[in-house]
């Protein structure tokens, strides 16, 4: 039985599961308490009210205002880091020093590339498994999509257009990770400040584009979440159009065939999606994957390096937006950009 704990009992740590509209397990705590082979033994938050509330809800005895004390007392195997990114590095380094076997860290991995590199190095050196919660990677539908696009079953991908809301570091980072998961490594990025504001003045909305090493261009466009929230990819390939919608919970497909209106054209027509939806239990699948990786000493499908790559794309976009929308080549070995606390 792996002993797990969480630092940060906010929305993703514990709170999202309070929402009666959410059909799926949406927190680290919810996933740990439902996963065989794992026991959620402790929670830490600087907010005592959250400790009480979620300690009671998830029936966790160990409750700590100070995560260092938790690390000293609880002999943990797995630690979830669910605080804001500027705190991730210190908590991870303390957890590794305390002897955890795995760290399941929220995205963005860190507030700077320097911190992200230090985290990856620290875990590699200590033989600790580091998994980042870019959670669509754990979903079987997204895994099928990646295979389908990479083995060419839809033919040449011509264009990709994406919409997101909620800030480039926050939801933009998820989008960049999905794009990289589906289409591989990026050659360069370009960004500009969006006309549609982000809810967080410290995390702007950027419009931009991403050129992949394959030659594919993806356009990313930001929307104002005070009007609606969106996370959507539209992929136009030789054999059909895929629309991944509703934050990755829905997929629509149109196949390319002879136009019904024009003899010389081919057009898109609704058809059954070429992938299965799966359980859509991103968090449950993430924790099950973490346990499997621990048991079989496998590298996770969303490793520290993957988290670093997603951060690199955020940093590249921000650098471009602050510097006349110039092209920023990838990979970025270093960057002075720091993501602020929230
Ligand atoms: N993967 C996802 O889909 C997803 C969704 C939401 C948030 N996130 C990420 O998770 C992280 C947290 O976001 P959130 O929205 O849950 O934030 P939140 O503000 O709701 O929760 C953060 C919690 O951490 C606690 N905290 C801060 N410093 C602490 C410390 N030193 N020790 C103990 N507790 C401490 C705060 O009191 C708070 O309860 C961010 O990095 C965010 O980007 C990821």
């Amino acid at each position: 039985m792996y002993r797990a704990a969480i630092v940060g009992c906010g929305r993703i740590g514990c709170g999202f599961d309070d929402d009666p509209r959410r059909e799926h397990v949406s927190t680290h705590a919810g996933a740990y308490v439902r996963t065989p082979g794992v026991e959620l033994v402790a929670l830490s938050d600087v907010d005592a009210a959250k400790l009480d509330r979620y300690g009671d809800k998830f029936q966790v005895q160990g409750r700590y205002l100070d995560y260092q004390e938790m690390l000293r007392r609880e002999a943990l195997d797995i630690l979830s880091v669910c605080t804001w990114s500027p705190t991730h590095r210190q908590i991870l380094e303390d957890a590794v020093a305390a002897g955890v076997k795995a760290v399941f860290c929220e995205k963005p991995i860190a507030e700077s590339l320097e911190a992200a590199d230090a985290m990856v190095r620290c875990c590699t050196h200590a033989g600790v498994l580091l998994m980042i919660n870019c959670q669509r990677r754990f979903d079987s539908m997204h895994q099928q999509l990646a295979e389908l696009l990479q083995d060419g079953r839809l033919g040449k991908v011509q264009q990709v257009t994406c919409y997101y809301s909620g800030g480039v570091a926050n939801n933009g980072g998820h989008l960049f990770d999905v794009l990289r998961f589906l289409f591989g490594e990026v050659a360069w990025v370009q960004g500009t400040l969006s006309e549609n504001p982000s809810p967080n003045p410290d995390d702007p909305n950027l419009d931009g584009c991403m050129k992949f090493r394959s030659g594919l261009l993806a356009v990313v466009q930001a929307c104002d979440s005070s009007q609606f929230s969106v996370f959507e990819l539209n992929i136009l390939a030789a054999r059909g159009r895929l629309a991944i919608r509703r934050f990755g919970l829905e997929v629509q497909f149109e196949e390319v065939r002879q136009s019904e209106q024009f003899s010389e054209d081919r057009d898109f027509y609704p058809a059954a999606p070429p992938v299965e939806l799966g359980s859509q239990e991103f968090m449950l699948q993430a924790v099950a994957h973490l346990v499997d990786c621990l048991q079989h000493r496998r590298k996770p499908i969303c490793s520290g390096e993957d988290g670093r790559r997603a951060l690199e794309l955020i940093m590249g976009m921000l650098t471009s937006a602050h510097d006349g929308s110039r092209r920023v080549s990838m990979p970025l070995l270093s960057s002075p950009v720091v993501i602020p606390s929230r």
Side-chain angles (χ1 to χ4, degrees):
M1 188 69 93
Y2 291 117
R3 292 170 61 79
I6 297 168
V7 186
C9 302
R11 297 185 314 150
I12 192 71
C14 301
F16 280 147
D17 286 332
D18 291 343
D19 179 356
R21 287 180 191 262
R22 285 184 182 252
E23 292 172 6
H24 305 287
V25 174
S26 302
T27 65
H28 289 241
Y32 285 132
V33 297
R34 287 170 181 80
T35 302
V38 182
E39 189 183 2
L40 181 59
V41 296
L43 300 174
S44 171
D45 202 292
V46 289
D47 179 340
K50 285 185 185 161
L51 275 183
D52 281 346
R53 177 186 175 94
Y54 296 115
D56 291 352
K57 174 170 178 169
F58 294 105
Q59 300 185 329
V60 180
Q61 297 305 318
R63 303 176 191 184
Y64 298 87
L65 288 167
D66 176 3
Y67 77 84
Q68 308 251 27
E69 189 188 345
M70 177 174 83
L71 292 173
R72 278 195 300 275
R73 289 198 180 183
E74 294 285 353
L76 299 171
D77 299 304
I78 302 173
L79 183 72
S80 273
V81 181
C82 300
T83 52
W84 287 89
S85 51
T87 62
H88 291 176
R89 176 183 179 176
Q90 187 65 59
I91 296 172
L92 174 140
E93 287 176 351
D94 291 341
V96 169
V100 301
K101 298 186 175 79
V103 175
F104 183 16
C105 182
E106 267 309 328
K107 47 55 60 176
I109 178 174
E111 87 283 21
S112 68
L113 290 182
E114 187 193 353
D117 286 338
M119 291 165 71
V120 171
R121 260 196 322 269
C122 173
C123 287
T124 306
H125 185 253
V128 169
L129 189 156
L130 173 57
M131 187 168 100
I132 308 299
N133 194 22
C134 292
Q135 40 182 283
R136 288 164 189 81
R137 283 177 181 250
F138 306 114
D139 170 48
S140 64
M141 182 195 75
H142 284 82
Q143 292 167 9
Q144 292 167 60
L145 284 171
E147 277 179 33
L148 180 86
L149 290 162
Q150 282 156 24
D151 71 16
R153 263 177 285 160
L154 282 188
K156 180 177 188 265
V157 177
Q158 291 195 23
Q159 297 286 1
V160 178
T161 304
C162 314
Y163 303 103
Y164 75 99
S165 55
V168 68
N170 183 19
N171 283 333
H174 271 307
L175 178 59
F176 303 160
D177 179 68
V178 172
L179 286 167
R180 191 176 156 260
F181 186 53
L182 298 182
F183 300 114
E185 297 304 344
V186 173
W188 52 259
V189 300
Q190 255 179 316
T192 185
L193 199 62
S194 174
E195 290 297 320
N196 303 314
S198 144
N200 179 354
D202 288 337
D203 181 18
N205 268 348
L206 301 184
D207 299 325
C209 61
M210 230 173 236
K211 185 82 164 174
F212 289 83
R213 285 190 196 157
S214 65
L216 175 68
L217 189 76
V219 175
V220 299
Q221 296 179 282
C223 296
D224 177 353
S225 59
S226 71
Q227 292 168 357
F228 55 81
S229 295
V230 64
F231 188 99
E232 189 173 309
L233 292 84
N234 294 286
I235 301 166
L236 272 67
R239 298 203 184 98
R241 181 208 317 250
L242 275 168
I244 308 168
R245 304 186 58 204
R246 288 186 51 237
F247 288 79
L249 293 173
E250 187 178 297
V251 64
Q252 293 172 348
F253 183 63
E254 292 173 304
E255 65 183 3
V256 171
R257 52 183 163 79
Q258 171 64 52
S259 164
E260 291 168 9
Q261 281 85 26
F262 309 108
S263 295
E264 71 260 39
D265 289 343
R266 287 159 68 74
D267 203 345
F268 295 99
Y269 292 95
V275 290
E276 309 265 321
L277 271 188
S279 75
Q280 306 191 315
E281 289 286 358
F282 297 178
M283 286 305 306
L284 285 179
Q285 287 169 334
V287 169
H289 180 68
L290 181 72
V291 169
D292 183 62
C293 289
L294 264 176
Q295 283 172 340
H296 299 100
R297 303 184 72 80
R298 291 198 183 111
K299 189 168 178 167
I301 197 165
C302 193
S303 65
E305 287 87 348
D306 293 315
R308 201 269 191 210
R309 284 295 168 113
L311 183 64
E312 212 173 290
L313 295 168
I314 297 169
M315 299 307 198
M317 281 276 183
L318 283 165
T319 303
S320 172
H322 292 146
D323 194 7
S325 297
R326 73 174 169 88
R327 282 184 188 177
V328 176
S329 298
M330 295 288 135
L332 270 185
L333 296 181
S334 65
S335 167
V337 179
V338 173
I339 294 177
S341 62
R342 292 178 68 102

